[in-house]
Amino acid sequence: MSSSQPFVPSSPLSPFSGSTNRRKSRFTYKHLAQLGTSSTTCPLRVVAHIDLDAFYAQCEMVRLNVPEDQPLAVQQWQGLIAINYPARSFGLTRHITITDAKKLCPNLIMQHVATWKEGDEKWAYNEHAFEGIHSHKVSLDPYRLESRKILATIKEFLPPPPLQRVEKASIDEVFLDLSAHIHSILLQRYPELSGPAPYDDPSENLPKPPTTALDWTTDALVDLDSTETEDDDPDWDDITTLIGSEIVRSVRAAIRERLKYTCSAGIAHNKFIAKLGSAHKKPNQQTIVRNRAIQHFLSSFKFTKIRNLGGKLGDEVVATFGTDTVQDLLQVSLEMFKSKFGDDTGTWIYQTIRGIDHSEVNSRTQIKSMLSAKSFRPSINTFEQAVRWLRIFVADIFTRLVEEGVLTNKRRPKSINLHHRQGAQMRSRQAPIPLGKPIDEAMLFDLAKNLLGQVVVDGRAWPCANLQLSVGGFEDGITGNHGIGGFLVRGDEAKALKPTTRDVEDQGFAVDVHGGRKRRKVDVEGIQRFFVKEDSQEEHDESSGYESKILQPGSDDIGNQASAAIGDPLRVGSRSADPPALQDYEMSSLDRTCYRDSADTDRHGSESSAVSPNADLDGQDGTAEHDGYHEFVAAPRITLQHHEQPLTEYLCDRCSKSMPPSQKEEHEDWHFAKHLQEQERSKAPQVPPALGGVPKQNADISHGWGKGTSHAAKKAGSSSSGSRTGIKSVEKGQSQLTFGR
């Protein structure tokens, strides 16, 4: 049975190869995909290291606008910390004295670094700063500012993340992981690589590059290893390295054109080789270390010059194997390194001397801490002297915090640290920076002063040889939140929004100028008198004993009780020249129901239902006059003489009693219980009086239980009733129905 699918060879040839005998690349489609993700283990990976040439000296040359061939050195007190390349041609080094430097190079410009001094709000270049070592502090802020400009230029030139990966290694050096950027360019230049892998198998090898010769003429190219020749056709790792060199060359040109700084660069497979490459040819050059040239490149180094292989570890390696060259150590096996230095350290040494490094280019370029320090010669001996230096430290750090965006809440530190050295003893103190307050210079100074006080209290603080102040634990600030002040208005805006007395009255409010209260006027003759809101449980619970008495089911006459409590003069249409004292009078639920729209005053506490004893009551409009002002008075609207019932009351059709609608349900329950009681009395035999007590049914009903009551309620009631010889008194919050009394 034949297949309908055409035959495909197991190793398909590239259509652009031009020959059926052409070999394939040693790299696979998987490696190509890893290149796009900037994988640290990808063999096609490309990393660059850019290093500014004599950076401090260049900053002063650009600031002073001196010619590029002018010898210049940066001075700090009586030493040199940076020397440009024209001055180095005279034999000047950083370890030379000022006097010897002038002898070797008479036309040398020596520029002292900027300094801080007490009372300054900003660093400055002082002409005689080298004489003020006892009163000035070095400031490197001018160089930090230029470093930020250079970093911004690099980021602006490169594509945005995720293609861009930039790590600020120090003030004058930057790492670039160009892998993802190169991957995008590679697919544009060689479209045949953008297709899927044959058989969708990523382990399939890539086709060989169509290019047979690459142009490296503008760079310092490291020679190939002894086993490699330039006659060999390039592979894809050579192509990616070449593209990386083109990108770096353009970045360096942009820095040169915009900011007038020169820099050197190294392009290689990883960070370790790239950093060595940037220092290989200086100034203003870039070195390319291809994968096939790594062994030849490292063979010329002493391994003690390699980062982290100097010091004690380097001395131990030299003592163990009797050599300090990388070429000799290549003959040592991995097992030997592990046996001598342990598994981790032995493996690291074995890989490092072979140029293997999988460290990642960290794209975070923000600083982690800020330090301001001073070594005292001679030492300081008083608390006041130390405080003066702390003020300078704080001003230095706060200026850098402002540049970091602390005022706009972009980033802020979480802690402040003080390091104090007295003799050979170093003591440290730390304190958190309050999160709820904005950071300012005064806050930092108070925190620093308190930390110094803690050191002094511990004793033996003087003489002090070194003092350091730092802030750390930087974190991104929270944005988008508003303080409570953002919801408030102040000043003229608040006055414009504040209503006047006339505005309040126009909106239907009456103002009490004596008590500072505001009440809504109620037009009792309007449509609002036909609407009633339900009484809340709070009002019933908080009502006075007088209220309970008025609303007692079965009471003889609501109108008479109200009249007895309030007083006869309070009736509609009457006016009393000598009104009764009503300070302690609180409106009952019945009264509030008649004027529900006036407000639930007891619930909100914004007004009181008490009436002033000096009020001149008027039953027609329900207001009291106070020198031309009107205050609402909660006067009952029941005509006691004629027994008129307001439309807002409920009239029972069984007993012809009137009451608020909120008590309708309770009143109907009372009638239902009354009916059940009468039925039980007609059926159950009477208990002899000698036994004492009451019939069980009657006792239950007297507690508010009937046949419709749940079993759980009866059980709870029986357990709390105590002895059957009497009825327990009513507890707080309960009321006893009075049947047949």
Side-chain angles (χ1 to χ4, degrees), residues 282-301:
K282 288 174 97 39
N284 198 25
Q285 295 188 60
Q286 66 183 42
T287 300
I288 297 178
V289 184
R290 293 169 289 179
N291 290 348
R292 295 185 291 165
I294 290 178
Q295 290 302 318
H296 176 75
F297 178 65
L298 291 178
S299 297
S300 60
F301 283 90

Side-chain angles (χ1 to χ4, degrees), residues 422-671:
Q422 190 267 335
Q425 182 181 12
M426 176 71 77
R427 287 180 286 183
S428 302
R429 294 293 183 272
Q430 183 181 40
I433 297 177
L435 294 176
K437 299 179 181 179
I439 296 179
D440 55 23
E441 194 169 338
M443 173 198 285
L444 294 178
F445 178 71
D446 290 339
L447 292 173
K449 189 175 179 180
N450 290 337
L451 294 178
L452 178 62
Q454 296 176 21
V455 174
V456 174
V457 168
D458 291 343
R460 300 186 62 184
W462 316 113
C464 176
N466 180 273
L467 202 59
Q468 302 177 17
L469 186 68
S470 65
V471 293
F474 278 82
E475 60 183 3
D476 294 334
I478 301 175
T479 58
N481 286 1
H482 299 280
I484 191 172
F487 298 93
L488 306 176
V489 292
R490 300 180 178 86
D492 296 337
E493 186 178 0
K495 293 179 180 179
L497 296 176
K498 183 178 181 181
T500 63
T501 302
R502 183 179 299 275
D503 296 333
V504 173
E505 292 181 349
D506 292 342
Q507 296 176 8
F509 291 93
V511 180
D512 178 9
V513 295
H514 299 286
R517 296 172 295 179
K518 180 175 66 175
R519 299 175 176 174
R520 179 179 293 277
K521 292 181 180 180
V522 178
D523 185 6
V524 296
E525 300 300 328
I527 193 173
Q528 296 296 335
R529 67 194 298 252
F530 296 99
F531 299 95
V532 177
K533 296 180 181 178
E534 291 279 339
D535 281 349
S536 67
Q537 186 64 34
E538 291 181 31
E539 291 175 325
H540 290 293
D541 293 342
E542 296 174 0
S543 60
S544 64
Y546 163 74
E547 245 181 319
S548 300
K549 183 177 180 181
I550 277 187
L551 303 179
Q552 181 78 16
S555 57
D556 296 334
D557 184 27
I558 296 177
N560 292 337
Q561 292 184 32
S563 177
I566 302 174
D568 291 338
L570 286 177
R571 62 173 180 260
V572 177
S574 68
R575 187 178 186 88
S576 174
D578 187 16
L582 300 177
Q583 296 95 324
D584 298 329
Y585 167 66
E586 182 178 3
M587 292 175 61
S588 65
S589 297
L590 175 59
D591 302 327
R592 284 197 298 271
T593 305
C594 298
Y595 293 95
R596 176 57 53 196
D597 284 48
S598 63
D600 295 331
T601 58
D602 294 328
R603 185 180 311 166
H604 298 288
S606 61
E607 56 182 90
S608 173
S609 58
V611 182
S612 173
N614 299 323
D616 188 9
L617 302 180
D618 188 342
Q620 296 296 331
D621 57 7
T623 61
E625 298 180 2
H626 294 282
D627 300 329
Y629 290 90
H630 295 278
E631 179 183 29
F632 172 73
V633 177
R637 302 297 294 177
I638 304 175
T639 305
L640 303 179
Q641 290 180 345
H642 305 288
H643 300 283
E644 294 177 357
Q645 303 299 332
L647 295 177
T648 56
E649 290 189 355
Y650 165 71
L651 182 63
C652 180
D653 56 358
R654 298 185 184 183
C655 61
S656 300
K657 298 274 181 78
S658 61
M659 64 199 68
S662 61
Q663 298 181 5
K664 173 184 176 182
E665 184 177 356
E666 182 181 354
H667 186 74
E668 291 179 349
D669 291 341
W670 177 79
H671 277 294

Side-chain angles (χ1 to χ4, degrees), residues 122 156 349 366:
K122 185 177 176 59
E156 182 181 348
I349 296 175
Q366 297 174 326

Side-chain angles (χ1 to χ4, degrees), residues 334-375:
L334 176 60
E335 289 72 18
M336 180 63 71
F337 278 116
K338 288 183 177 181
S339 63
K340 297 295 184 180
F341 304 100
D343 290 348
D344 293 338
T345 303
T347 301
W348 180 80
I349 296 175
Y350 180 85
Q351 293 181 345
T352 298
I353 61 177
R354 285 165 173 77
I356 301 173
D357 176 30
H358 297 309
S359 58
E360 183 180 4
V361 173
N362 192 341
S363 58
R364 292 181 300 176
T365 58
Q366 297 174 326
I367 61 175
K368 299 179 181 179
S369 62
M370 293 181 180
L371 172 70
S372 186
K374 175 72 175 178
S375 294

Side-chain angles (χ1 to χ4, degrees), residues 72-195:
L72 181 144
V74 178
Q75 179 182 355
Q76 178 176 321
W77 312 132
Q78 297 300 320
L80 302 179
I81 62 173
I83 303 171
N84 68 357
Y85 284 91
R88 294 183 188 185
S89 62
F90 288 88
L92 273 64
T93 64
R94 287 187 295 179
H95 303 289
I96 199 172
T97 64
I98 302 297
T99 303
D100 293 340
K102 278 290 187 180
K103 291 180 180 180
L104 294 175
C105 185
N107 63 336
L108 177 68
I109 297 177
M110 289 188 296
Q111 174 61 53
H112 198 281
V113 296
T115 58
W116 285 88
K117 66 178 180 180
E118 186 178 1
D120 288 350
E121 296 182 357
K122 185 177 176 59
W123 50 264
Y125 284 94
N126 299 284
E127 183 177 358
H128 302 288
F130 63 93
E131 300 175 354
I133 187 172
H134 306 302
S135 58
H136 289 68
K137 178 197 171 301
V138 170
S139 174
L140 301 180
D141 287 353
Y143 312 134
R144 294 190 184 99
L145 293 175
E146 294 303 304
S147 176
R148 293 190 178 196
K149 293 179 182 179
I150 295 172
L151 182 62
T153 301
I154 294 174
K155 289 185 173 182
E156 182 181 348
F157 185 83
L158 296 175
L163 297 182
Q164 178 188 120
R165 283 184 174 238
V166 180
E167 176 185 342
K168 182 180 179 181
S170 69
I171 193 173
D172 62 345
E173 55 182 332
V174 177
F175 281 107
L176 310 177
D177 190 335
L178 304 172
S179 301
H181 188 191
I182 292 173
H183 179 265
S184 63
I185 297 176
L186 198 65
L187 297 183
Q188 293 176 2
R189 294 186 182 181
Y190 305 96
E192 58 272 13
L193 296 180
S194 59

